[in-house]
Amino acid sequence: TYRDSNLLNKMMSICSSRGPDDKGFFFEDEISFGHNRLSIIDPNERSKQPFIYKNLVLSFNGEIYNFLELKKELKTKGYKFSTESDTEVLIKLFHCHEVESFRKISGIFSISIWDKCKKTLYLVRDIVGVKPLYYSYKNGNLFFSTLIKPLLEINEKQLNIEAVNYYSNFGYNDLTETFFKNIFKLEPGELIIYKNKSFKKEKFLKYSFKKNLSKNDVKEKIIKVINKQTISDVPIALSL
């Protein structure tokens, strides 16, 4: 969250395998953005990231399943589109709804958005936690990446024994801190808002379960799944 092109280039080189098709940069005095692009939806240059719309700068990794529906909704509100990408839909959705836009998204993602007017950074991770997002907070500056290794460029390589022990005993690391000291992972559904050299973090995206679901309702839902899939596709067996 400050301007350092040399550091950003180093971090980008380390994680270049995440996006071998192209790379893009955005710099202001308050922030440096870098994006290694893997072109899937609308590989045209027009969808290159970081993607800028008015006062917003977006860099994200993932896939938005309902972006066509969201795009249709935004068009009714007067938004126009120049690409076929989910990237453009995301940034204009945020322009319309701000942080509430994240609740409207169906997909797997780690998203970073910089508001140039508010001087505020937003980081959010999908509710399932498919797409990773790591961060480090040092001297009032927030660093983030989809890989841990780039963050070692701004931290001493100190092993986090507590996290290692946790993994050794339970087979996974349930801590927010990673195997390296001062490098943290954003938990599934968490949102970070960074402004004025400080940040707050909250569990923003949560599962909502339908209450009082009857046995017949459950049966109907399972039958619909089975009808769409082969038996080998169904991951669980239920007895009702």
Side-chain angles (χ1 to χ4, degrees):
T1 48
Y2 63 95
R3 185 164 188 153
D4 190 333
S5 58
N6 290 330
L7 174 60
L8 186 60
N9 270 303
K10 286 182 181 179
M11 295 174 72
M12 290 274 287
S13 296
I14 291 169
C15 58
S16 60
S17 60
R18 297 299 299 272
D21 297 329
D22 198 359
K23 61 181 179 180
F25 299 90
F26 173 82
F27 295 103
E28 277 190 343
D29 289 340
E30 299 89 352
I31 195 164
S32 302
F33 258 124
H35 184 90
N36 287 310
R37 185 182 183 191
L38 177 63
S39 301
I40 298 177
I41 300 177
D42 193 359
N44 196 291
E45 177 77 10
R46 64 190 180 182
S47 294
K48 185 175 180 177
Q49 296 188 54
F51 195 99
I52 301 172
Y53 176 69
K54 294 187 176 181
N55 59 305
L56 302 175
V57 184
L58 166 72
S59 177
F60 100 101
N61 173 39
E63 184 178 357
I64 308 304
Y65 303 142
N66 63 335
F67 81 98
L68 292 176
E69 291 90 340
L70 295 170
K71 186 175 186 177
K72 185 177 180 180
E73 174 195 321
L74 289 168
K75 282 182 176 180
T76 65
K77 296 180 182 295
Y79 286 90
K80 299 186 183 301
F81 295 84
S82 59
T83 78
E84 299 300 322
S85 68
D86 50 359
T87 304
E88 186 180 13
V89 173
L90 269 183
I91 199 168
K92 291 181 178 178
L93 187 70
F94 187 87
H95 183 266
C96 184
H97 299 288
E98 296 190 329
V99 293
E100 286 302 313
S101 64
F102 301 137
R103 301 190 198 274
K104 295 178 175 289
I105 300 169
S106 173
I108 52 176
F109 52 82
S110 58
I111 298 172
S112 59
I113 295 177
W114 172 249
D115 188 320
K116 294 189 285 184
C117 294
K118 295 182 178 179
K119 305 298 182 186
T120 303
L121 175 69
Y122 304 86
L123 302 176
V124 68
R125 189 178 176 200
D126 67 78
I127 195 170
V128 182
V130 175
K131 295 299 180 180
L133 189 56
Y134 302 96
Y135 67 94
S136 185
Y137 184 66
K138 187 175 182 181
N139 300 324
N141 294 303
L142 186 68
F143 304 84
F144 61 95
S145 172
T146 55
L147 292 177
I148 290 177
K149 196 172 181 181
L151 296 176
L152 294 174
E153 291 295 312
I154 51 95
N155 285 284
E156 294 182 17
K157 296 179 183 179
Q158 293 181 297
L159 190 63
N160 183 356
I161 299 299
E162 185 179 2
V164 173
N165 288 338
Y166 207 102
Y167 186 86
S168 299
N169 290 325
F170 300 104
Y172 66 96
N173 175 24
D174 202 30
L175 304 176
T176 58
E177 199 167 7
T178 66
F179 286 174
F180 296 93
K181 281 288 186 182
N182 301 318
I183 298 179
F184 301 84
K185 59 184 178 182
L186 200 62
E187 291 293 300
E190 281 191 330
L191 168 69
I192 281 180
I193 299 178
Y194 171 90
K195 186 175 184 179
N196 296 328
K197 296 292 184 180
S198 63
F199 73 93
K200 64 178 181 178
K201 183 175 67 170
E202 64 172 300
K203 184 75 171 179
F204 190 74
L205 303 177
K206 301 176 183 178
Y207 287 107
S208 59
F209 297 97
K210 186 176 180 180
K211 296 180 179 180
N212 302 321
L213 197 66
S214 70
K215 181 178 285 189
N216 286 334
D217 289 335
V218 174
K219 283 184 177 179
E220 288 179 8
K221 290 181 179 295
I222 293 175
I223 289 171
K224 286 181 181 178
V225 171
I226 293 175
N227 286 340
K228 292 180 180 179
Q229 300 174 322
T230 66
I231 295 300
S232 62
D233 290 329
V234 181
I236 57 173
L238 296 177
S239 176
L240 298 173

